[in-house]
Amino acid sequence: MARTRTALGLVPILATPFTDTGELDLPSLRSLVEFQLACGVDGLAVFGMASEGFALTADERAVILREVRHVVGDGLPVVAGVNGTGTPVAVEQARQAADAGADQLMVLPPFLAKPNQQQLLDFFGDVARATEASVMVQDAPAVTGVPIEVTTIAALSRLPGITSVKVEAPPTPVKVAAVTGAAGDLAVLGGLNAASLIEEYDNGSVGTMPACEFSDLLRGILDDLAGGRRAEARGAFVRLLPLIHLGMRPGQAWAVHKEVLRRRGIIASGRVRLPAQELEPVTARALDEILAELRLPAGQKVPA
């Protein structure tokens, strides 16, 4: 079976823009994708943690993926999250995403009935066999409660179709180093909103998948790092850290991502869907101060 592309480098997780009344906002989605392309990203992902994928219907997921694929064209890989809590549901989501244009599937392990390590091998193998899209294993135990051992990831790397892993098991640099040493053929990417970006790259990561509101800043940091300008990369990263950390605040993360995008003129509304929470005053004040210090440039305006 011929496999499609593996996303590497800067691969932001797209927020899902809604109108003030809670419907999908396709003009804002197009604006958001165009902003990412202008930032020089290496790929885009939908239906990740930062996308409110938990609050999207199957029809909405199909519409979003088709729209993103249309705007991106064939130039960059598009990754679609798969979060089915059992093999049949995950396989169904995988096939729907591949049919709608996803190059790669970012697959969470099943997490309601906790699998053992052998069941993880069976599950990811079944999903990988279901489509021609390559599979990224999403190792996110803080969300799923399912640890994926390094030896299991090494075994997964030997299964056809599994080409990468997104490490979100803290401390991520330690896990990145361990996985890189044990599964050398597997591409390792970091997560957790790029909170340990430089350390992850130091220890073998070949990509990062953060939220999408500061892709232009991360592009500069990664370019400086690749160009040997470590002091510049670290200085810019340290300046960005308060916003990175605020964008990981439980319950508020989605509202933070969207409020930054709204203030930058990239999406029209900061509306989120339950169980995500609207910005509460403590977080809003912190965000005001951080943005005043960062002075992020505006993106292109959302089309009317």
Side-chain angles (χ1 to χ4, degrees):
M1 181 182 291
R3 294 288 173 175
T4 50
R5 293 174 288 183
T6 296
L8 306 172
L10 178 56
V11 188
I13 308 290
L14 292 179
T16 303
F18 303 124
T19 66
D20 285 336
T21 52
E23 291 82 27
L24 278 182
D25 181 354
L26 292 182
S28 285
L29 178 62
R30 289 190 288 271
S31 172
L32 177 58
V33 174
E34 288 164 358
F35 170 72
Q36 304 302 317
L37 297 178
C39 291
V41 302
D42 299 303
L44 289 172
V46 293
F47 319 140
M49 301 295 184
S51 305
E52 292 173 86
F54 51 79
L56 298 173
T57 68
D59 287 344
E60 288 172 334
R61 289 167 71 102
V63 169
I64 290 165
L65 187 47
R66 282 196 296 266
E67 191 69 29
V68 171
R69 180 84 273 173
H70 174 73
V71 178
V72 169
D74 294 329
L76 296 178
V78 175
V79 183
V82 170
N83 58 4
T85 56
T87 301
V89 178
V91 165
E92 179 181 67
Q93 287 185 0
R95 288 173 173 159
Q96 289 171 344
D99 289 345
D103 296 291
Q104 189 169 29
L105 308 170
M106 180 173 64
V107 183
L108 280 173
F111 52 87
L112 290 180
K114 307 299 185 192
N116 60 37
Q117 298 300 299
Q118 180 58 52
Q119 289 173 319
L120 288 173
L121 292 172
D122 296 339
F123 170 80
F124 283 108
D126 287 344
V127 175
R129 284 189 292 271
T131 78
E132 293 185 1
S134 60
V135 166
M136 173 189 296
V137 174
Q138 188 172 7
D139 177 25
V143 173
T144 63
V146 178
I148 308 179
E149 297 174 2
V150 172
T151 53
T152 301
I153 295 174
L156 287 170
S157 74
R158 296 189 286 271
L159 297 182
I162 297 177
T163 61
S164 63
V165 58
K166 181 184 180 186
V167 172
E168 301 192 278
T172 55
V174 175
K175 187 72 172 281
V176 165
V179 172
T180 301
D185 292 337
L186 202 67
V188 181
L189 293 88
L192 289 183
N193 209 26
S196 298
L197 172 70
I198 293 177
E199 266 196 279
E200 289 168 354
Y201 267 77
D202 287 346
N203 286 283
S205 174
V206 293
T208 185
M209 300 184 73
C212 65
E213 66 268 28
F214 42 70
S215 299
D216 46 350
L217 276 67
L218 287 180
R219 180 75 275 163
I221 292 168
L222 288 173
D223 289 348
D224 279 341
L225 199 62
R229 298 178 293 275
R230 189 174 181 86
E232 291 86 345
R234 286 190 60 81
F237 180 66
V238 168
R239 186 167 173 262
L240 186 58
L241 272 175
L243 182 55
I244 287 174
H245 288 160
L246 199 67
M248 299 170 69
R249 183 162 291 184
Q252 295 281 290
W254 301 278
V256 169
H257 304 323
K258 287 186 171 180
E259 181 61 12
V260 176
L261 291 167
R262 187 191 69 79
R263 293 196 196 185
R264 299 191 73 181
I266 297 163
I267 67 174
S269 173
R271 175 69 181 263
V272 296
R273 286 181 177 174
L274 290 173
Q277 302 169 11
E278 300 287 345
L279 275 183
E280 46 75 37
V282 171
T283 302
R285 286 195 298 272
L287 183 58
D288 286 342
E289 184 173 32
I290 290 168
L291 292 181
E293 293 171 349
L294 282 176
R295 298 183 182 179
L296 298 177
Q300 74 283 352
K301 294 297 182 183
V302 180

